[in-house]
Amino acid sequence: MISHLPILQVIVPLMAAPLCLLLKRAQLVWLFALFASSLACFISILLLQQVMTSGVISYELGGWEAPWGIEYRIDKLNAFLLLIISAISTVVLIAAQTSIEKEIPKDKHTLFYILYLLSLTGMLGIVSTGDAFNVFVFLEISSLSAYALIALGNDRRALWASYQYLIMGTIGATFILIGIGLMYQMTGTLNMEDLSQRLPQVAQTRTVFTAFAFVIVGVCLKLALFPLHLWLPNAYAFAPSIVTAFFAATATKVAIYLLIRFTFTVFGLSFSFTTLPLQGLFLTLGLAGIFVASSAAIYQKNVKHVFAYSSIAQVGYIIIGLSTSTITGLTATLLHLFNHALMKSAIFLALGAVVYRLGSIQLSSFYGLGRQMPLTMAAITIGGLSLIGVPLTVGFVSKWYLLIALIEHGWWPVAVLVLLGSLLAIVYVWRIVEAAYFKEPLAGTMPVKEAPVLFLIPIWTLIIANIYFGIDTRLSVQVAQSAAQSLFGVSP
Amino acid sequence: MIMGLLNYWVVVVLMMSGLYIIIAHGNLIKKIVGLAIFQTSVFIFYISMAKVEGGSAPILADNITLFSNPLPHVLILTAIVVGIATTALALALVVRIKEAYGSIEEEDIQHLDNQTQAESKLQAQQATEGDQA
């Protein structure tokens, strides 16, 4: 059983999805989905433990030897990502039943959980597989279910957002497919390990350059790197709240994992960052993303839009860490993957609670909410502080590592710009805090009660995690650091 | 130069026309057509890449020594299925968009969205003003 963990990680949610159809009652389906997701989370914890103690796990699908068969390869980086995805998915699911009651018609509840589990399957699959074509298949599984999930939102703009995401996402995935095809043409293999050994021999050909360009652009579309981010704000703002909380924490993270996997493992560090000018490109786009998206966030009326734009800005920080191409920089990137998942899922869940009580997410409906929903608003405030990077929250830890990496690298001006970017975060978080605590409720609005317990439990679990990992950084930093070291081929 | 790489020329021309249709046309159905053409070009790329000149189908038999690479063909079978799923989902979305907006032209939808946004802004403003008064 223990040796089959890598495949069980993916199979459990995949098999659970159709089984949901057999359970008639929405309540049962919810409990079942929650069970399947927690099982996946449990498996990912076991995998991480195993990888940290005994190194890389290689699993041959159907007993076919790699590189002919499909190999699932779990190293520290995958195991870390698997844990983030499955843990966030489980925590978010706790609030799902309460939240979708108000946002999704009753007859679609079962379908919602099926799509959710399929999307989870896709993400876990992308991360665990060691086969380049398998990545494409899982990418499409997760994307197709994502489009459908976003279209479930009850505003008609959700449909339009989903359509736009579908067009952009399909172009991105097809670009990746072209890149994989070109790599196969040059090397005759699809296994990532095998590719990384064979590509250097043909690295100086135009075909490989083209393959690299297609893969990187495709992945960057998926991770919403500025200026390829246009699909994200509306998709996040109009999707059902649970979907937003889940995707904001995981979907872009998976794409960033792919970027790291392709640049570091498959194409190799020297090819990606020395032969090609990826360093400068990522740095410029990352910085531009931080400033453009943060400034856009300041002017939004819809609070979900504010945090959606903030997500694009956070992708900027993550990419800047990557662009230093040093171990510290990569550690900062991986830490921020984890930390950003914690803060954004907490914030979007809290926004979900606001939607549950108020039915609206406009900034004006937040007036006076600090007194009516104290626990929910406190969670949004702490999440916001974490976004800014205030000490004692996780946001501080990753920004700290990012600054150290930039200074070590001698990029002083960039470090200053990163700090300036954080000031913009203060502005957009302050607008919400001000509305909630310092404004009187609008005349004629009914006072509302605190969010239901099933919302508060997951929100505060995540917020406490936000503070805990901001103080006790041993676990997250150790895993991120050793994952970064192993990507650089340094033995810890 | 041109004849030897004919299959790649076909792929590139199809790919670019597909992308052009997606970008240039405001009609949602036409965009899906463009997307389908774009995806098809990649199918052709994979299929033609694996063809070995004079090779037969990959069957284990005594008199067959030269055969095409079956792997990309199998891979693209998966991608074709994915493509169909994407097109079906996109078409379903367009049906829902038509029901909700009464149009499948990008301009009209954008216009209606802007109106909704302006209305909600106006409402919020009125509410604030009423509050201050």
Side-chain angles (χ1 to χ4, degrees):
Chain A
M1 194 68 177
I2 223 69
S3 62
H4 290 294
L5 281 180
I7 189 65
L8 278 174
Q9 177 81 83
V10 182
I11 285 286
V12 166
L14 181 66
M15 287 293 127
L19 284 180
C20 286
L21 270 182
L22 300 177
L23 301 164
K24 285 279 184 297
R25 285 185 44 214
Q27 212 85 25
L28 277 180
V29 179
W30 168 56
L31 286 174
F32 182 68
L34 191 57
F35 170 72
S37 178
S38 356
L39 200 59
C41 183
F42 179 63
I43 293 171
S44 72
I45 293 172
L46 289 181
L47 275 174
L48 183 62
Q49 265 176 348
Q50 211 176 326
V51 170
M52 289 308 277
T53 50
S54 54
V56 179
I57 306 169
S58 165
Y59 180 86
E60 284 153 1
L61 226 61
W64 293 91
E65 213 177 304
W68 292 279
I70 292 171
E71 182 196 19
Y72 276 28
R73 203 177 166 82
I74 314 286
D75 60 13
K76 284 167 187 158
L77 176 65
N78 310 32
F80 188 46
L81 259 290
L82 288 174
L83 180 65
I84 298 176
I85 296 165
S86 55
I88 296 284
S89 144
T90 311
V91 176
V92 167
L93 261 180
I94 297 174
Q97 184 57 29
T98 327
S99 174
I100 63 171
E101 245 170 45
K102 290 248 172 125
E103 293 186 37
I104 296 175
K106 198 130 201 117
D107 56 324
K108 299 223 168 60
H109 283 190
T110 312
L111 293 173
F112 167 83
Y113 290 113
I114 294 175
L115 288 171
Y116 188 98
L117 285 174
L118 283 177
S119 193
L120 176 65
T121 308
M123 292 186 201
L124 293 174
I126 296 170
V127 177
S128 16
T129 188
D131 182 279
F133 192 80
N134 221 225
V135 164
F136 166 75
V137 176
F138 278 120
L139 191 67
E140 284 295 33
I141 292 179
S142 80
S143 305
L144 284 169
S145 38
Y147 309 144
L149 278 173
I150 290 167
L152 281 175
N154 53 13
D155 193 303
R156 68 177 177 183
R157 280 171 289 182
L159 296 170
W160 180 227
S162 166
Y163 181 88
Q164 282 175 314
Y165 184 20
L166 184 143
I167 298 284
M168 299 286 266
T170 308
I171 293 176
T174 312
F175 270 23
I176 296 174
L177 185 63
I178 298 169
I180 293 170
L182 290 169
M183 282 194 272
Y184 179 78
Q185 200 175 20
M186 290 310 285
T187 59
T189 182
L190 290 166
N191 185 290
M192 288 182 184
E193 270 307 299
D194 208 23
L195 273 173
S196 71
Q197 280 161 22
R198 285 167 190 245
L199 273 175
Q201 295 157 22
V202 287
Q204 295 306 322
T205 56
R206 209 181 294 163
T207 316
V208 175
F209 285 141
T210 319
F212 185 76
F214 270 119
V215 169
I216 296 299
V217 173
V219 173
C220 285
L221 251 169
K222 283 282 177 190
L223 67 80
L225 178 67
F226 175 85
L228 302 172
H229 65 281
L230 293 173
W231 56 268
L232 189 140
N234 281 341
Y236 279 14
F238 301 118
S241 306
I242 289 296
V243 176
T244 316
F246 179 43
F247 284 166
T250 53
T252 47
K253 308 292 171 297
V254 170
I256 290 165
Y257 158 79
L258 273 184
L259 186 65
I260 297 175
R261 186 55 87 203
F262 275 111
T263 47
F264 281 80
T265 308
V266 175
F267 286 98
L269 193 63
S270 61
F271 180 80
S272 308
F273 289 97
T274 319
T275 317
L276 291 170
L278 212 54
Q279 211 170 24
L281 190 69
F282 276 173
L283 183 67
T284 325
L285 293 181
L287 279 176
I290 292 176
F291 282 97
V292 173
S294 300
S295 326
I298 293 172
Y299 291 102
Q300 299 304 317
K301 295 270 178 225
N302 180 323
V303 180
K304 269 188 172 178
H305 263 142
V306 173
F307 287 110
Y309 276 104
S310 141
S311 277
I312 300 167
Q314 301 298 319
V315 166
Y317 290 111
I318 293 173
I319 292 294
I320 288 179
L322 200 62
S323 74
T324 59
S325 64
T326 59
I327 293 183
T328 332
L330 193 59
T331 310
T333 295
L334 295 178
L335 266 177
H336 205 53
L337 283 185
F338 177 71
N339 296 344
H340 181 242
L342 284 181
M343 32 188 162
K344 269 297 152 59
S345 50
I347 290 177
F348 275 116
L349 267 183
L351 293 183
V354 173
V355 174
Y356 180 81
R357 283 296 184 216
L358 290 166
S360 160
I361 198 72
Q362 296 299 319
L363 191 62
S364 53
S365 54
F366 273 67
Y367 289 176
L369 218 53
R371 233 160 281 148
Q372 294 168 1
M373 300 175 79
L375 287 172
T376 312
M377 285 317 298
I380 294 182
T381 313
I382 298 175
L385 289 179
S386 195
L387 266 179
I388 298 167
V390 174
L392 299 184
T393 59
V394 283
F396 174 71
V397 180
S398 34
K399 286 241 170 89
W400 179 253
Y401 273 87
L402 182 59
L403 287 178
I404 291 179
L406 289 173
I407 291 168
E408 256 179 22
H409 208 60
W411 287 356
W412 283 95
V414 182
V416 173
L417 286 173
V418 163
L419 284 176
L420 281 179
S422 304
L423 289 182
L424 291 174
I426 297 180
V427 179
Y428 61 72
V429 170
W430 172 251
R431 283 178 72 229
I432 295 155
V433 173
E434 186 197 19
Y437 290 99
F438 298 100
K439 294 249 172 126
E440 289 303 312
L442 293 177
T445 46
M446 295 288 278
V448 289
K449 281 192 296 195
E450 181 53 82
V453 179
L454 277 175
F455 258 115
L456 291 176
I457 294 171
I459 293 172
W460 277 90
T461 314
L462 289 165
I463 288 293
I464 289 167
N466 255 300
I467 298 170
Y468 176 79
F469 288 109
I471 298 169
D472 179 10
T473 57
R474 275 171 302 181
L475 181 71
S476 49
V477 172
Q478 190 203 349
V479 176
Q481 215 151 28
S482 57
Q485 276 164 347
S486 68
L487 278 174
F488 275 90
V490 184
S491 51
Chain B
M1 185 64 195
I2 289 184
M3 282 319 285
L5 298 171
L6 183 63
N7 56 334
Y8 296 106
W9 284 110
V10 171
V11 168
V12 169
V13 168
L14 278 178
M15 193 186 287
M16 288 309 128
S17 5
L19 271 180
Y20 176 77
I21 296 172
I22 298 173
I23 297 164
H25 282 274
N27 185 299
L28 300 194
I29 297 286
K30 285 184 185 164
K31 274 182 192 287
I32 297 176
V33 172
L35 199 65
I37 294 175
F38 174 56
Q39 285 180 313
T40 309
S41 77
V42 182
F43 304 160
I44 294 175
F45 165 61
Y46 267 74
I47 293 166
S48 63
M49 158 178 110
K51 173 68 184 163
V52 174
E53 221 160 299
S56 81
I59 304 166
L60 277 181
D62 288 338
N63 49 356
I64 296 176
T65 49
L66 191 68
F67 49 80
S68 296
N69 184 352
L71 185 71
H73 295 170
V74 178
L75 294 181
I76 223 56
L77 212 54
T78 317
I80 290 172
V81 175
V82 170
I84 290 170
T86 313
T87 312
L89 182 61
L91 288 172
L93 276 174
V94 173
V95 171
R96 295 267 315 274
I97 288 176
K98 170 80 179 163
E99 283 168 5
Y101 286 89
S103 167
I104 53 164
E105 294 293 332
E106 195 180 351
E107 272 176 38
D108 296 346
I109 295 168
Q110 215 84 56
H111 183 67
L112 286 168
D113 273 356
N114 290 344
Q115 264 179 351
T116 324
Q117 212 162 16
E119 272 165 28
S120 65
K121 217 178 256 180
L122 202 67
Q123 271 171 2
Q125 231 159 33
Q126 278 167 348
T128 345
E129 277 160 15
D131 198 41
Q132 277 159 355

